[in-house]
Structure formats: C-alpha cells, structure tokens
Amino acid sequence: MNFFKRMQDKIAGKGQSQSQAPSPELDQEVAQRAATSISPLAPPIAKATPKQMPKTGTLEAVRHLIAVGSGKGGVGKSTVALNLALALQKLGKKVGLVDADVYGPSQQHMTRAARPQMLEGELIEPPLVEGVKVISVAMFAAAGQAQMLRGPMAAQVLKQFLTQVAWGELDYLVIDLPPGTGDIQLTLAQSVPLSGAIIVTTPQELSLIDVRKAVSMFQTLNVPLLGVIENMSYFVCDQCTKKHYLFGQGGGQKIATEYGTNLLAEIPLDPRIGEASDSGRPAVTHFPQSDIAKTYLTVADRLLAQHILQRESDGALGYFVLEWKKL
C-alpha cells in the first residue's frame, strides 16, 4: 500500500474502532506517551538528552525548526505562520511550512497548493507555493472530510510529515501548530530539537489565559521563546486614521513582559487578510506594498537578528531519549 493510500485511510479512520485501543501499527513511543499522558496532579518534566544515532530521516539539511503556537484557536495563527514563512523566503531564505493542525488544517486552502508527488523510497515531494515548500493533511483528504484520528495517530501523521517528506536543504521549517497542548505539540517538541517558538495571541485576557498555558508547555519542554505576535491588534477604518482597539489593548506586550521575551509585532485587523486567505492569495506575496506585508517582513528581520537563529546548525534532525520525572 503506497503512502497516499495509507495516509487517506488514516485520515478517514478506516480500521479504527471507537472502543478500540490505538492500533499496534502506531509508533511505540507515541502510543506509550499517549498512555502515560501528563497528569495535573504530578506534572512531569521532559528532559531531552541528545543520543548519537544514524540520521535516517529527511530533516538533516534543515537548519532550524520554528514552531508557531498559541494554545488558543481563532487567533489567526495559521495566517501568521504562512505569511511569516513567505516573508522569510522573500528575505532570501529557503523555507518550508508544515501544517501540523491535523484536525483543522488551513494551509492547503490558504495556498491552493497542489497535491504532493511520490518519490522513490516512500518519500513525498512537497508542492511549492511562492518558493515555500508546504505540506498539509488536507492534501490527502477530500474537501469537507473529517480527520477521524485518535491522538497517537495524529501525532504519527506529524512524524511522517517530518521524516517522509523530502524537505531538502532549508534554512527554516515553520510548523503551524494546532490549538491546545496535546499529543501533536508534545510529539513535535520531544521528537526534534526546536530552535524556538513564536507565540500568537489576540489582545483580550480570554486569549491570554490559553496563551500562558502554551508558554508554560514550551518552557517545560525547554523550547526557547522567540517572541510574541499580537494579531488583530487594532482596526483602522476607511474614514479615519485612528486605531480602534476592538479586543482590548496591550495583551501581547503583557505576555512578552511576563515571560521576558520580545513583542515582535502588533498586526492590525484588516478585512483584506480574510479575503486573501479565502482566495489563496497570501498578503505578503499578493499585497506586498500593504502595511501588513511590511509588518511581516519586519517580523522576519527581527527573527533573523536573534542569536538563536544565527547559529550554524548541522541539521535539525536529532534523536532524543526522554526521561519523565515527577515534581
């Protein structure tokens, strides 16, 4: 059975019974992690220890992995991830983008990316969108089809995107995370060494509540914070130049100050962004003279200036032994 067929069967939930335990075909590490999930009564700390093993995946030539997360849905995280990836590419970097939101993938719709091509050795060639390599579970599913996957199976899909996609040589692989702090986030942070995480929030306290949980997760997993992006920060109407703070003010700066990181940008609420996303025309490439496009380029510049991302890397694919300890 080829890769595409297996992926389509996973997404459709074929062979999975609602009362069934995770399939024995699942990666043992992921299944075991799901069975011993984090308990709020005894929160474990994941200590990642490098282990020398042969590199057999497809991330050897990827210098840095950057996670874009929030802990909260509906903050525009996927739009930020896509436009940031395109901004990095415009600055001359080789960039890839993984849509890790297995249950609610957005990147295929926002980019209109073509279906991946199969290569030899069960590898797939990701399609190019404005020079950025993109992969999403939506490329393997029919429109409107629900992704009926248990947590361990969804985590395995992410691992396949990291190890069975021919990423080639990349400066940055941007990973668009789903909401929450579950299996997919843990699988990512515990499977490969992330260079850092970008936190996306909206200004109101309701968003900050979940964002703090995401920050806590990254800190627990020893993932450096690269900064905070406040999305939908304000609105400027056509008849005036005044900033209208529809969802409150200063939430992004508040989070940045609390956790000792940088506020990378305050991105305004602009109806053109929604229209661009629906039509598969990202702002950075299709509205390059807009203030929002220029803001994303500024964010990319600020990221590239950080010492963490200036370090030379011999490849992002590392192997780690996880030691779980109770507090």
Side-chain angles (χ1 to χ4, degrees):
M1 187 184 298
N2 65 34
F3 182 92
F4 286 115
K5 178 61 176 172
R6 290 200 305 272
M7 185 67 73
Q8 288 169 336
D9 286 349
K10 286 179 184 177
I11 294 167
K14 292 183 179 179
Q16 296 187 74
S17 167
Q18 294 299 317
S19 59
Q20 208 175 25
S23 166
E25 295 179 359
L26 289 177
D27 177 88
Q28 291 297 318
E29 178 188 346
V30 178
Q32 183 178 10
R33 188 183 309 128
T36 58
S37 58
I38 293 178
S39 167
L41 299 179
I45 296 178
K47 180 181 178 182
T49 306
K51 182 179 179 182
Q52 298 298 321
M53 294 180 66
K55 294 182 178 181
T56 58
T58 60
L59 293 178
E60 290 94 335
V62 178
R63 294 181 178 86
H64 296 285
L65 277 76
I66 300 175
V68 178
S70 67
K72 180 74 173 175
V75 298
K77 173 176 43 56
S78 294
T79 301
V80 169
L82 173 59
N83 282 283
L84 176 60
L86 292 168
L88 288 167
Q89 194 276 336
K90 274 189 166 290
L91 295 179
K93 303 302 179 181
K94 297 177 182 178
V95 186
L97 175 62
V98 176
D99 188 351
D101 193 348
V102 174
Y103 298 110
S106 303
Q107 297 299 347
Q108 198 279 332
H109 179 78
M110 292 195 299
T111 60
R112 301 296 195 269
R115 181 171 174 168
Q117 299 297 313
M118 282 296 300
L119 301 174
E120 293 183 6
E122 288 289 291
L123 293 178
I124 61 175
E125 180 74 21
L128 277 174
V129 177
E130 303 289 346
V132 173
K133 296 180 179 181
V134 181
I135 197 71
S136 171
V137 73
M139 297 173 182
F140 304 90
Q145 179 182 355
Q147 279 64 254
M148 298 181 292
L149 299 170
R150 296 179 183 274
M153 188 71 80
Q156 190 191 35
V157 168
L158 173 61
K159 294 186 82 169
Q160 286 182 296
F161 282 169
L162 295 175
T163 61
Q164 289 185 249
V165 175
W167 292 111
E169 183 179 352
L170 295 178
D171 295 304
Y172 302 99
L173 184 60
V174 178
I175 304 175
D176 176 17
L177 290 176
T181 55
D183 280 325
I184 291 177
Q185 288 87 343
L186 291 174
T187 296
L188 175 66
Q190 297 171 347
S191 298
V192 294
L194 292 169
S195 294
I198 296 169
I199 300 298
V200 181
T201 187
T202 48
Q204 69 269 41
E205 183 63 31
L206 186 61
S207 177
L208 303 187
I209 291 171
D210 288 337
V211 165
R212 290 186 180 95
K213 296 174 185 176
V215 173
S216 174
M217 175 192 68
F218 286 125
Q219 289 181 330
T220 299
L221 297 172
N222 299 317
V223 177
L225 294 181
L226 300 176
V228 177
I229 294 177
E230 183 181 282
N231 198 25
M232 308 181 205
S233 183
Y234 55 86
F235 174 72
V236 178
C237 66
D238 295 334
Q239 284 73 38
C240 69
T241 58
K242 181 181 177 181
K243 294 181 179 179
H244 301 274
Y245 295 93
L246 304 180
F247 305 117
Q249 186 176 359
Q253 183 62 67
K254 185 176 182 180
I255 287 292
T257 301
E258 282 181 23
Y259 295 99
T261 189
N262 303 311
L263 178 64
L264 296 172
E266 293 178 338
I267 300 176
L269 181 65
D270 190 329
R272 291 177 297 176
I273 294 298
E275 296 169 4
S277 298
D278 283 341
S279 62
R281 304 168 66 219
V284 166
T285 53
H286 289 81
F287 307 104
Q289 301 306 316
S290 67
D291 290 340
I292 289 182
K294 293 175 182 177
T295 298
Y296 278 114
L297 289 170
T298 299
V299 171
D301 268 327
R302 289 174 177 171
L303 285 175
L304 296 180
Q306 296 198 33
H307 70 279
I308 293 175
L309 300 183
Q310 290 179 338
R311 297 175 188 166
E312 288 297 323
S313 170
D314 60 355
L317 182 60
Y319 290 83
F320 292 81
V321 175
L322 299 175
E323 298 178 4
W324 294 89
K325 296 182 179 180
K326 294 182 178 180
L327 291 178

